[in-house]
Amino acid sequence: MFGMLKDLIKIADFRAGQKVESAFSVELIDLKIRESSENLNHAKRTLAALVMRLRAEEKSGKQIAGQIADLENRTSQAMTGGNQTLALEGAEAIAELENELVTRNNTIGALKERVARIQFSIEKAHRRLVSLQQGAIAAKAAVAERKAQLRVDRSLLGASSFNEAEALIEKVTGQSDPFEEAGILDEIDDKLTRKSVRDRLADAGFGAPAKSKAEEVLARLAAKAAEKPAA
């Protein structure tokens, strides 16, 4: 039971983390891009320091090579002049400088390899950062579009004014026609008072007519006109 509770807590924490990540996805993307940019800038500063050191070593190497060339010339002159003591000292100095130059050249070679590796890594990271920035633009546009669509959906589907208008239309159109209702009521009253039976008998010619008709009125007026003496 306790183990199940621990699992449920983990699941709840995981879901809560997903909700937070989804709600702040754009902010998290911007944060990761800033961190990546800072790391790239740090690598650039490291590269700049290595390049400065490399140039300094190369400069020192050129100076040592120049010193060696100068000493070789002077030592050769001392040998030609028969001064073996100075020639030996010059040879010893040249040997020391040559050893130092070898060390300098080894350092320069190692620095060049490090500079090349870091330069390649920086170029690769720069391309990835540009891709991330473009992706962030697309992600922000997608989030803005989803939010706008959600607002539209809420305003159109969840608005009470739409529901109220639909209900009122249904109510109005569902009401009965008052004229039709009045006619039906008259028919009901006629049946209750038996007037409809009397009218049907009169219309069939049984007994005096129950209602006046336009044809009968015209015939009566025509007969009266015929009875009047001519002037």
Side-chain angles (χ1 to χ4, degrees):
M1 184 66 181
F2 181 71
M4 183 183 294
L5 289 175
K6 288 178 62 179
D7 292 338
L8 291 174
I9 292 174
K10 290 180 180 178
I11 292 172
D13 291 340
F14 175 74
R15 290 182 177 177
Q18 283 187 322
K19 290 182 179 179
V20 172
E21 182 177 354
S22 177
F24 297 96
S25 57
V26 173
E27 290 79 3
L28 288 172
I29 291 173
D30 289 338
L31 175 62
K32 296 305 178 182
I33 289 178
R34 286 196 299 271
E35 292 177 351
S36 300
S37 180
E38 291 173 0
N39 293 334
L40 180 58
N41 289 333
H42 177 72
K44 288 179 179 179
R45 289 192 293 270
T46 301
L47 177 62
L50 286 175
V51 171
M52 291 176 62
R53 183 182 171 189
L54 174 61
R55 291 176 179 176
E57 291 290 340
E58 289 176 339
K59 183 178 181 180
S60 296
K62 289 179 179 180
Q63 290 175 349
I64 293 173
Q67 292 174 3
I68 291 173
D70 180 67
L71 283 174
E72 285 179 345
N73 182 45
R74 295 177 185 277
T75 301
S76 296
Q77 291 179 11
M79 290 174 63
T80 303
N83 193 336
Q84 297 298 323
T85 302
L86 286 177
L88 181 59
E89 291 179 0
E92 291 175 350
I94 291 172
E96 291 178 0
L97 287 173
E98 286 178 345
N99 291 332
E100 184 179 353
L101 184 59
V102 170
T103 302
R104 294 278 182 180
N105 288 335
N106 291 335
T107 301
I108 290 171
L111 286 173
K112 286 183 176 179
E113 290 181 359
R114 289 185 63 187
V115 167
R117 288 197 303 269
I118 295 177
Q119 182 71 41
F120 177 78
S121 298
I122 287 176
E123 291 175 354
K124 184 178 179 181
H126 176 73
R127 290 193 296 269
R128 292 186 65 185
L129 180 60
V130 171
S131 178
L132 284 175
Q133 291 171 341
Q134 294 174 347
I137 294 173
K140 290 177 181 179
V143 170
E145 182 179 355
R146 284 198 295 269
K147 288 182 178 179
Q149 185 62 47
L150 182 59
R151 288 194 295 269
V152 171
D153 293 341
R154 286 178 177 174
S155 62
L156 292 180
L157 300 179
S160 59
S161 57
F162 279 86
N163 298 330
E164 292 173 358
E166 290 173 352
L168 288 172
I169 291 173
E170 184 178 359
K171 182 178 179 181
V172 171
T173 57
Q175 290 179 348
S176 59
D177 187 353
F179 297 102
E180 182 181 1
E181 184 179 356
I184 295 173
L185 291 174
D186 290 339
E187 292 177 3
I188 294 173
D189 290 338
D190 289 344
K191 289 181 180 179
L192 292 175
T193 58
R194 308 189 188 283
K195 287 183 178 180
S196 60
V197 176
R198 184 169 62 87
D199 291 339
R200 289 200 303 274
L201 288 171
D203 291 338
F206 302 108
K211 296 180 180 178
S212 297
K213 296 181 178 180
E215 294 82 356
E216 295 175 352
V217 172
L218 289 174
R220 187 173 67 250
L221 293 176
K224 287 183 177 180
E227 294 176 355
K228 290 182 178 179

